[in-house]
Amino acid sequence: ASVVLYCGQVSDLEEDLKRYLAMQEVIGNWSGDHRKSEEARMLVQDRHNNDLPKLKKRVLDALRESLRSGRVIFRGATRSIVVKGNQKIADAVRDALGALWPTLYPKFDKLAVRITNDQRAIVAVLDGSGPSNKDVHATHIYDKAGKLDPNSPLIDAVRMYLATEQQSGRRILGKDVLAKFAAPPYGWDENAVRIGVAALLRAGAVKLLLNKKTYTNPQDSDVVEAFRNSREFAKAELVL
């Protein structure tokens, strides 16, 4: 489902925007053209320093006014953008979109964390010191005894997803796992998902395939690098 932000109509907004974009393009072209005369360069400089900022302000003011009468549309339902007192229009738009969050991401609260240092967290999980890492601790993937908790929301969801895909005969890449849990209804931090997969590998529940070579040792330098580098992880194949 898509969220549509519908802006109200404001006179001259379209024309001002076209003028701004056209002026910006001409200034950019002329500024880099050494064949232009000194007068032309001075004219461009004047437009850049005076006319362009004024036009930009007019466009931004019109956009703000347009948003004030705008609406958020989701699944056929419309929600007006309400500006409270001296509230900035940007904050009012965030409030309107934020009201949809529980509907878009009903499972977000099961892993409502943002990882601050994914590199340290990944290394900690793979070397066995995961429970002592602050970021890893926030994911609640370990129990009080410091053992991997198979019933934690992150571990359970990832394991079930891998099992379902594997049973259906589908090849699972790291990018597929990240896309699955970053999208609705989850909205989970992709770094947290990588931590969960790393923990499953550390526990012996998951194997990693890199260039068709199978890895199970969490201390292998190739494994550590694949998990630390999000691009490499995206290309890695995961097998239960």
Side-chain angles (χ1 to χ4, degrees):
S2 299
V3 178
V4 177
L5 181 59
Y6 180 83
C7 299
Q9 293 185 345
V10 175
S11 61
D12 299 329
L13 170 58
E14 184 176 355
E15 290 302 316
D16 285 342
L17 182 58
K18 288 180 179 179
R19 286 182 57 202
Y20 173 78
L21 294 175
M23 186 181 296
Q24 189 179 50
E25 183 178 1
V26 170
I27 290 173
N29 292 338
W30 282 34
S31 296
D33 190 346
H34 300 293
R35 296 170 299 178
K36 297 296 182 183
S37 66
E38 183 63 25
E39 288 185 357
R41 285 196 292 270
M42 290 179 64
L43 177 62
V44 167
Q45 193 64 30
D46 179 67
R47 293 288 186 269
H48 180 269
N49 294 336
N50 298 306
D51 293 349
L52 194 62
K54 293 177 182 177
L55 193 51
K56 180 179 180 179
K57 184 178 184 303
R58 286 180 57 181
V59 170
L60 291 177
D61 288 344
L63 284 172
R64 294 188 186 97
E65 185 61 32
S66 177
L67 285 170
R68 285 181 180 275
S69 57
R71 302 188 301 277
V72 175
I73 303 172
F74 177 63
R75 292 178 177 172
T78 299
R79 180 186 298 270
S80 298
I81 297 174
V82 180
V83 182
K84 303 173 183 177
N86 295 324
Q87 185 182 34
K88 293 181 179 179
I89 185 62
D91 292 333
V93 172
R94 290 191 187 96
D95 288 347
L97 294 174
L100 298 174
W101 191 267
T103 304
L104 282 169
Y105 299 101
K107 295 187 178 182
F108 174 75
D109 286 344
K110 291 187 175 182
L111 191 67
V113 298
R114 283 292 176 263
I115 304 302
T116 57
N117 192 322
D118 63 302
Q119 300 295 296
R120 289 183 181 178
I122 289 291
V123 171
V125 168
L126 293 175
D127 69 17
S129 62
S132 64
N133 179 274
K134 183 179 179 181
D135 278 323
V136 177
H137 180 74
T139 64
H140 301 294
I141 61 175
Y142 295 104
D143 59 22
K144 293 181 179 179
K147 303 295 183 181
L148 188 67
D149 182 359
N151 297 315
S152 71
L154 174 56
I155 296 300
D156 181 59
V158 171
R159 185 170 50 82
M160 289 299 296
Y161 169 70
L162 294 177
T164 300
E165 294 298 290
Q166 194 166 306
Q167 288 172 7
S168 299
R170 287 187 283 268
R171 183 167 173 253
I172 314 158
L173 300 180
K175 65 179 182 180
D176 301 323
V177 181
L178 298 181
K180 169 70 176 180
F181 294 106
Y186 299 94
W188 292 350
D189 185 351
E190 292 186 358
N191 291 329
V193 177
R194 274 194 296 138
I195 288 172
V197 177
L200 284 167
L201 184 138
R202 172 76 192 183
V206 165
K207 295 183 291 186
L208 200 69
L209 271 66
L210 302 172
N211 297 319
K212 298 183 179 180
K213 181 179 178 180
T214 301
Y215 293 83
T216 57
N217 181 5
Q219 293 293 286
D220 191 295
S221 59
D222 289 339
V223 171
V224 176
E225 181 60 25
F227 274 102
R228 292 183 64 188
N229 188 323
S230 58
R231 291 185 178 179
E232 290 301 316
F233 178 78
K235 296 184 292 184
E237 184 175 353
L238 308 174
V239 179
L240 280 174

